[in-house]
Amino acid sequence: MGAAALANAEAPAPVTPQAAKTNADVVTVARDLSNPWAVAFLPGGRFLVTERSGRLRVVEPNGRLNAPVSGVPAVVFGGQGGLLDVVTDAQFERNRRIFFCYSEAAADGETGNSTALASAVLAPGEAALSDVRVIFSQRPKVQSGLHFGCRIAQARDGSIFLALGERSSRKEDAQKLDGYLGKVVRLQPDGAPASGNPTVAGALLGIWSWGHRNPQGAAIAPDGRLWIHEHGPQGGDEINVPQAGRNYGWPVVTYGENYGGGKIGEGLTEKEGMEPPLHYWVPSIAPSGMAFLTSDRYGADWTGSLFIGSLKFSRLHRLEVTDSRVVRDEYLLAGLGERIRDVRQGPDGWLYLLTDGPQGRLLRLTR
């Protein structure tokens, strides 16, 4: 059964996460990263890492941290905001272009902030950015330090998906199409709306899907579809496969509840015209980072699995997905003791993790 067949049907009861029976461990690649948020991969085994305070760092294969890359725009650092996701363009070795998103302050004389998406060229020598362009700026600006979303995934056709949070205090705006709060947008690499986007009456250009809360992971699946996960409130973290022109329900329907108890929206988990999640967690795991394993580095039984970090429980989840349903959820690294912020598969086929903290680490998963 494909994701489209699940439309307007209640999501199946999720499998309960279980401790993995297979051992896994990590090797430290780099230390002393300040609240790292995302990792991308450069030629020659180097890494590009964002630090939430606004620093972009190149990490050498031996773990050495180079001086911060210059040219990063000013970011709003505080709460959940800062310099957040980063990806390299699919044609990076030809054009050296990267895409990154961050918390952007309003213009002088105005208040609030929002998520912005920029492109830039990582100049030879990797010490500076050039040709920095803000190609998308979420509106409206909101006075908040919460729910920026800010996960990027580049589709096979080169278009850019950007998953955006609803800023918490404006959760009802996730259902409104005259703004970009709680939306997934799809753009051309220059920031123009991508061709083939849905045409929805009253919707701003670029909107792909809506009704999202706070996306914290995005990945292109092996079949080319976009997958995201998003934080629920108290319970109700979700995995969704956003389809063009579809409504994913927040805050009208949810498997979560208000902090401290009490219904949200209509107090329902399903409603006609709103898409159910592919998977959900109750209680929440606070997912962050997301990667499909396509290599055979860890054995055939792991190939095709979906890996997701847990901020709440400081562990790594491995999900097996069959016919658009999660049939197994097992967690690894339960003794790590560090919040996992990002999960990516490197060009070498290994999985890499970032841990969130003032002395965060870049890790390689071993088995």
Side-chain angles (χ1 to χ4, degrees), residues 31-38 49-57 65 68 75 77 82-84 358:
R31 303 177 182 273
D32 298 325
L33 291 157
S34 178
N35 295 107
W37 212 89
V49 176
T50 59
E51 294 178 319
R52 203 157 50 82
S53 62
R55 296 189 302 189
L56 183 64
R57 309 293 292 268
L65 305 183
V75 308
F77 174 46
L83 181 59
L84 303 176

Side-chain angles (χ1 to χ4, degrees), residues 16 50 58 74 167 179 191 213 230-231 252 319 326:
T16 300
T50 59
V58 173
R167 310 308 311 283
R213 185 174 183 266
E230 48 195 286
H231 285 191
V252 179
L319 279 61
V326 174

Side-chain angles (χ1 to χ4, degrees), residues 80 147-149 164-166 212-216 229-231:
Q80 297 171 355
H147 295 192
F148 290 93
L164 299 161
E166 36 69 292
H212 302 289
R213 185 174 183 266
N214 186 25
Q216 293 292 293
H229 62 60
E230 48 195 286
H231 285 191

Side-chain angles (χ1 to χ4, degrees), residues 192-210:
S195 60
N197 276 358
T199 301
V200 180
L204 292 180
L205 294 176
I207 292 177
W208 177 261
S209 61
W210 64 94

